[in-house]
């Protein structure tokens, strides 16, 4: 629907959930810009999408760095088109029980999730306000409800929800929606790292997790990409400030 070709920025799109979001939004017809630190991941997803005929720009950028973000967003506007869709997906974990958590692990997690989402959204909103249309989609997590060993990550992911609702209030008058997706267990390198920390094989960790999930399976990146596609679509303009748990069962 509509003739306007949208341009989407996906942060942390070099692998995992972000890479799948890039594939999905490309299939939806958008130009795709991917920011990531991991050059090998960028090269791989960039080549894959180009081979399928999509317009794609991959940029090595640290979302927690103000200059890096400003330069990257400007490059997208110059080379692909005004970025009016942003998916704040870049993320890291630095898990530890509170008494063992270092200040640097606290700061790193806040820096990527919260500062990163703030910086990318602040740069991109100029283009959205000018276009009088925009979609901001932030990755929260079921950990926002509290998760042992993740005081930093849980605080950041709860923070993403407050950030999202505030953007919805501020930017709604410009045709911009902001929504958050809170995934449960999704099979990626992030959950593989958690299994390793717990001393479990990934297969055992997946099986044990699936048994506790109402739909009796763990999530795949495509489960999240599908939700992103809904929030990003032209027809979702009346859905804003929401947090959608995509976790195979109810969470609140
Ligand atoms: P992932 O496989 O670890 O991918 C995250 C990507 O973000 C990596 O490519 C990483 O690059 C990149 N990144 C990290 N720091 C960055 C920075 N400062 N600037 C730019 N890129 C950066 O994780 P995932 O499982 O796909 O998770 C994606 C998002 O979903 C995250 O926000 C995560 O918190 C959230 N989430 C995941 C789950 C799950 O079960 N997997 C559940 C709930 C929420 P490097 O490798 O170079 O660091």
């Amino acid at each position: 629907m509509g003739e306007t070709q949208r341009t989407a920025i996906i942060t942390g799109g070099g692998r995992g959930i972000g890479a799948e979001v890039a594939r999905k939004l490309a299939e939806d017809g958008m130009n795709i810009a991917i920011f990531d630190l991991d050059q090998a991941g960028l090269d791989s997803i960039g080549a894959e999408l180009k081979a399928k005929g999509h317009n794609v720009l991959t940029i090595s950028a640290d979302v927690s760095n103000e200059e890096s973000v400003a330069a990257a967003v400007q490059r997208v506007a110059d080379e692909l088109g005004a970025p009016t869709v942003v998916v704040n997906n870049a993320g890291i974990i630095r898990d530890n029980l509170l008494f063992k958590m270092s200040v640097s692990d606290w700061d790193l997690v806040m820096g990527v999730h919260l500062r990163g989402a703030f910086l990318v959204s602040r740069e991109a909103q100029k283009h959205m306000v000018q276009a009088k249309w925009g979609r901001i989609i932030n990755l929260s997590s079921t950990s926002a409800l509290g998760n042992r060993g993740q005081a930093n990550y849980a605080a950041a992911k709860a923070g993403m929800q407050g950030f999202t609702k505030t953007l919805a209030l501020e930017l709604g008058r410009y045709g911009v929606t902001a929504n958050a997706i809170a995934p449960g267990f999704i099979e990626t390198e992030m959950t593989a790292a958690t299994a390793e920390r717990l001393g479990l094989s990934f297969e055992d960790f997946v099986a044990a997790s699936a048994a506790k999930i109402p739909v009796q399976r763990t999530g795949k990146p495509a489960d999240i990409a599908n939700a992103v596609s809904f929030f990003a679509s032209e027809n979702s303009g009346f859905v804003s400030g929401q947090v959608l748990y995509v976790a195979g069962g109810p969470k609140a």
Side-chain angles (χ1 to χ4, degrees):
M1 103 136 252
E3 297 300 313
T4 312
Q5 171 128 39
R6 307 296 186 187
T7 296
I9 292 173
I10 299 130
T11 71
R15 67 168 193 241
I17 292 170
E20 196 59 27
V21 168
R23 291 184 188 99
K24 179 70 177 166
L25 295 185
E27 278 168 27
D28 289 347
M30 294 182 191
N31 298 325
I32 301 296
I34 302 174
F35 299 174
D36 206 295
L37 290 171
D38 173 21
Q39 190 61 48
L42 283 174
D43 292 346
S44 157
I45 186 72
E48 179 192 323
L49 294 181
K50 272 183 195 140
K52 288 185 189 150
H54 299 300
N55 291 334
V56 57
L57 178 64
T58 57
I59 303 180
S60 175
D62 179 354
V63 296
S64 65
N65 180 286
E66 188 178 4
E67 290 75 35
S68 168
V69 168
V73 172
Q74 191 56 51
R75 255 194 83 188
V76 175
D78 293 343
E79 295 178 33
L80 268 190
T84 53
V85 177
V86 164
V87 184
N88 285 306
N89 164 85
I92 57 168
I93 47 174
R94 291 291 183 278
D95 297 352
N96 230 327
L97 294 175
L98 178 63
F99 77 103
K100 287 193 279 189
M101 188 172 285
S102 69
V103 169
S104 72
D105 283 349
W106 177 270
D107 289 344
L108 267 173
V109 167
M110 293 301 154
V112 176
H113 296 273
L114 282 180
R115 185 182 160 92
F118 157 65
L119 289 172
V120 177
S121 303
R122 193 184 62 172
E123 283 306 311
Q125 59 80 32
K126 301 171 194 165
H127 300 281
M128 300 183 194
V129 168
Q130 201 170 15
K132 296 199 161 40
W133 190 92
R135 300 280 185 263
I136 297 172
I137 299 146
N138 296 320
L139 268 288
S140 177
S141 168
T142 52
S143 293
L145 301 167
N147 198 23
R148 185 180 162 81
Q150 292 197 314
N152 49 3
Y153 185 80
K157 291 309 201 184
M160 292 294 265
Q161 298 189 7
F163 177 64
T164 301
K165 291 174 188 180
T166 302
L167 298 192
L169 291 171
E170 292 186 10
L171 300 174
R173 69 189 62 194
Y174 305 108
V176 178
T177 67
N179 291 285
I181 296 169
F185 187 121
I186 309 296
E187 294 170 32
T188 68
E189 288 186 36
M190 187 176 275
T191 39
T194 306
E196 206 175 317
R197 175 174 64 89
L198 298 173
L200 295 169
S201 75
F202 193 50
E203 293 66 36
D204 288 350
F205 189 40
V206 164
S209 304
K212 289 184 248 159
I213 297 170
V215 300
Q216 297 286 288
R217 69 170 179 90
T218 50
K220 306 273 187 197
D223 292 311
I224 305 308
N226 183 51
V228 173
S229 172
F230 166 71
F231 283 130
S233 87
E234 300 288 338
N235 296 330
S236 297
F238 206 53
V239 182
S240 195
Q242 300 304 300
V243 178
L244 180 64
Y245 283 89
V246 180
K251 298 277 173 185

